[in-house]
Amino acid sequence: MRYADSGGLTAAGRVKREAVRFEAAEMFGQGVRPPEVARRLRVSRKSAYAWHTAWRQGGSAAQASKGAGGFPCRLDDAEAEQLQAELEAGPAAHGWLEDFRQDHGVEPARAGLIRFSTTMSS
């Protein structure tokens, strides 16, 4: 299943998912087995078993969200601000005669990043 934010849950989605995990932890504490938890909460058995393993090792606290997934940004604050400014300047400010984003079906941030990264490596 694909989610928003290029493959991960949104902040609101993480909060909802965390609530489901806490509900599962409560059921595990009552002796409910993972397959039944999966059925009741309408999640996969794989998720229920993973949550059960985490619950056995760390209790309910182990069900807390660890935040957004993926790699941390490798840009420092100044570089991130520069990137944001370059993206907001748009394609014409960087020598594009046409809007690459619309002509090639690329989302605006990715198109700007492609152009920005090629100018930074030159």
Side-chain angles (χ1 to χ4, degrees):
M1 177 177 204
R2 300 298 298 181
Y3 300 101
D5 292 341
S6 301
L9 290 173
T10 63
R14 283 190 297 276
V15 169
K16 284 182 180 179
R17 192 66 168 181
E18 182 181 59
V20 172
R21 288 193 306 270
F22 282 130
E23 192 173 344
E26 189 175 310
M27 289 182 195
F28 297 143
Q30 296 168 356
V32 180
R33 302 292 306 147
E36 179 61 17
V37 169
R39 188 189 67 74
R40 289 184 192 178
L41 298 178
R42 299 175 58 168
V43 299
S44 70
R45 284 181 172 213
K46 181 178 179 179
S47 290
Y49 275 106
W51 298 342
H52 187 254
T53 299
W55 174 78
R56 278 196 338 251
Q57 294 173 351
S60 292
Q63 305 303 328
S65 176
K66 293 170 184 64
F71 292 99
C73 181
R74 296 189 325 196
L75 300 177
D76 62 30
D77 289 341
E79 291 170 327
E81 286 178 23
Q82 181 184 3
L83 175 58
Q84 185 62 40
E86 298 295 338
L87 291 173
E88 289 173 0
H94 300 285
W96 291 98
L97 299 177
E98 59 188 57
D99 192 343
F100 182 86
R101 303 169 294 185
Q102 293 174 355
D103 294 343
H104 299 284
V106 177
E107 61 192 57
R110 190 169 309 267
L113 181 59
I114 292 166
R115 180 69 174 154
F116 181 71
S117 64
T118 57
T119 58
M120 292 297 284
S121 64
S122 302

